[in-house]
Amino acid sequence: MNNFKIPQNLIEEFEISGVLALGEYHGVKENYWFYEEFLNQLPFTPNIAVELKDSERLELEKFLTNKEIDYTKFNKDGRANVEFFNFLKKFKDVNPESKILCFDEIDTAPKSNDEVNYTRDEQMAINFLNNYEKPTLIIAGNLHIQKSKINLGTSELVPMGYLMKNKIGNFPTILVIPTSGSFFNNEIKQIKPIVDVKINEILEKGDMNYRYYIEESHPVTIFNP
């Protein structure tokens, strides 16, 4: 993959807001090259927040300390994979003081009770906002980091990013989008080709929104017993 350069204004937006969100297609191997290079270019080291649930967090903590893990605890949508865990382990080994926060289904978060029924994005926003420390780099699905409501045809999605923006103000986001190839989400799937876009460059789209297009993607390696 070709090298890219982080725009200076993006770094400044991250420094001011204390939060930056990366929105991914789950199950793309090249995501982690981008994340690692992005972190290498930052003039500071952030904490990392990831879309993993509590049972997956426990296995990640084992993995980070070279202990045997239970592969059956992982969701099969491509989020928990060998490349992702290796990326997080390398980050933690180099930056032991930085924190890794898992914000999907944290046991200590508020539960649905009485007449309160949280959506998953509401719960993730609560989990993150109650536990993060600036600066934090978020890695989550591309829909979850959106800062506007999304019309899904028969329903409306109120994303985690929209809820966060209402609480902490605007913050930068980068959609990491593959333009060809394949990825793993419960099974190997093909990418619908995207043409006529700038590859391997962080593109500014306004309102602290950015995109990064990957030229060709490959499926991640899934943990197997």
Side-chain angles (χ1 to χ4, degrees):
M1 296 180 68
N2 296 324
N3 288 333
F4 60 90
K5 184 177 180 180
I6 304 176
Q8 183 59 36
N9 58 305
L10 174 55
I11 293 175
E12 293 172 358
E13 289 165 358
F14 189 7
E15 289 179 320
I16 293 170
S17 66
V19 174
L20 185 148
L22 301 172
E24 66 174 25
Y25 278 51
H26 296 318
V28 172
K29 184 180 292 186
E30 285 70 20
N31 287 343
Y32 310 107
W33 175 88
F34 175 73
Y35 302 159
E36 184 171 348
E37 180 60 25
F38 189 89
L39 286 165
N40 286 340
Q41 291 189 33
L42 288 176
F44 55 89
T45 301
N47 302 298
I48 294 181
V50 296
E51 186 192 342
L52 294 176
K53 58 187 179 180
D54 222 31
S55 58
E56 293 168 323
R57 174 187 62 79
L58 296 174
E59 300 310 313
L60 172 61
E61 290 176 352
K62 294 178 187 176
F63 186 88
L64 295 177
T65 54
N66 300 310
K67 295 178 181 177
E68 185 176 351
I69 61 176
D70 182 355
Y71 308 125
T72 66
K73 300 295 184 181
F74 298 139
N75 193 300
K76 300 302 182 183
D77 65 359
R79 279 182 289 166
N81 61 74
V82 173
E83 286 80 13
F84 191 17
F85 276 38
N86 281 335
F87 158 75
L88 292 173
K89 187 177 189 308
K90 183 177 180 180
F91 171 80
K92 191 66 174 176
D93 287 345
V94 175
N95 307 288
E97 300 304 316
S98 295
K99 296 181 179 180
I100 297 176
L101 168 65
C102 299
F103 56 82
D104 187 9
E105 299 179 12
I106 296 177
D107 289 340
T108 57
K111 302 297 182 182
S112 298
N113 56 66
D114 298 329
E115 296 182 359
V116 178
N117 292 293
Y118 296 107
T119 66
R120 181 170 172 232
D121 276 81
E122 286 172 334
Q123 191 67 78
M124 289 198 296
I126 291 170
N127 295 343
F128 177 80
L129 292 171
N130 284 349
N131 293 282
Y132 87 105
E133 296 179 13
K134 297 180 179 181
T136 291
L137 180 77
I138 300 171
I139 298 174
N142 50 14
L143 289 181
H144 298 304
I145 72 159
Q146 300 291 323
K147 295 179 291 188
S148 299
K149 295 180 181 180
I150 301 172
N151 188 335
L152 299 178
T154 58
S155 61
E156 182 180 64
L157 175 66
V158 181
M160 170 188 174
Y162 173 85
L163 299 166
M164 288 173 50
K165 183 179 177 181
N166 285 346
K167 292 289 187 181
I168 65 173
N170 203 6
F171 58 92
T173 65
I174 306 174
L175 292 180
V176 183
I177 304 172
T179 60
S180 66
S182 57
F183 66 108
F184 184 91
N185 192 325
N186 293 301
E187 61 182 359
I188 302 294
K189 298 180 179 179
Q190 297 301 309
I191 297 291
K192 183 177 180 180
I194 301 174
V195 297
D196 298 327
V197 294
K198 291 184 178 180
I199 302 297
N200 299 330
E201 182 178 342
I202 297 177
L203 307 171
E204 187 170 1
K205 296 297 181 180
D207 194 32
M208 296 194 196
N209 296 315
Y210 297 81
R211 291 185 184 179
Y212 178 84
Y213 290 99
I214 297 171
E215 184 171 7
E216 183 178 8
S217 69
H218 298 84
V220 294
T221 307
I222 299 302
F223 286 107
N224 290 308

